[in-house]
Amino acid sequence: MWHSVLSSFSHLRHGALTLIDQVLFPPHCLACHVPMDAAHSVCTTCTHSMHMISEPLCHHCGVPLPYAHHESELCVDCLTATPPYDWARGVWVYDDRSAHLISQLKFSDRTHLASYMGNLMRLRTTEMITPQTWVVPVPLHRSRLRQRRYNQSLLLAHYVAKHNGILIPDALMRIRNTQPQTTLDYHDRQSNVVGCFNVPKRHQANIKGARIMLVDDVRTTGATLHACTETLRYHGAAWVGVITAAIRIRSETLDDL
């Protein structure tokens, strides 16, 4: 009897707190802040204005292509120099709207955005993540982590690994504090991250033959993800995939989409 009473009281208390929360903090669009019926979502207008990546796309790196193509066809960049990872995808093209959301997550403490982005990223990886796949966030250097207080890639990785895979938050470590990539041009970004990642000794034996999904917020030149992949390959990873919230693409390609 008492168990039933306590259970009923718990449900009533939860419902009351939810109602108070909705009154004090009504749901709004995560992008433009217009009122919404559901929390942690984006309104229809913003959803349509964000360029979600879909077919046709490069089947190696995941960038959208302006024309239908054969399944094995690659984009110009992958034909010129195939990236070291085995597979990569993103949710959106990196433009003003997606950049705003990602910046809010990354620099403005709006960590609740991670659930919206991370769940969309998880849907893109459903067929690629097995129960044995390591889900690994791109790490921050400890000094930058102290400054920011959280790693946005780790927040996203929690949702990517939510229903499958094994989240390994520290499979990679950043051993050198580099300049922010956003301040550098293409060539400087490549050299900026050379030799700045490593696999901790506690993971080195198990990483041999592992299947790994790297998680980051944005792929721009790909320098950081290339460096992470090469580090994992050096330590024996058998397969490396990449999932990001957004991918920056060539402006001429964007004009044709």
Side-chain angles (χ1 to χ4, degrees), residues 51 64 66 93-96 249-257:
H51 195 129
V93 169
Y94 189 68
D95 55 18
D96 290 343
I249 66 173
R250 295 171 179 269
S251 57
E252 59 268 26
T253 301
L254 184 59
D255 292 338
D256 291 335
L257 293 177

Side-chain angles (χ1 to χ4, degrees), residues 67-103:
Y67 51 86
H69 64 292
H70 187 270
E71 184 176 347
S72 63
E73 190 167 348
L74 303 177
C75 67
V76 172
D77 289 338
C78 285
L79 285 171
T80 304
T82 305
Y85 43 74
D86 297 280
W87 177 94
R89 293 293 185 271
V91 176
W92 302 295
V93 169
Y94 189 68
D95 55 18
D96 290 343
R97 183 71 73 176
S98 60
H100 172 71
L101 273 183
I102 292 166
S103 178

Side-chain angles (χ1 to χ4, degrees), residues 134 171 199-210 235-237:
W134 288 21
V199 174
K201 287 184 179 180
R202 61 185 171 277
H203 290 309
Q204 288 178 8
N206 293 329
I207 209 169
K208 293 178 180 178
H235 288 279

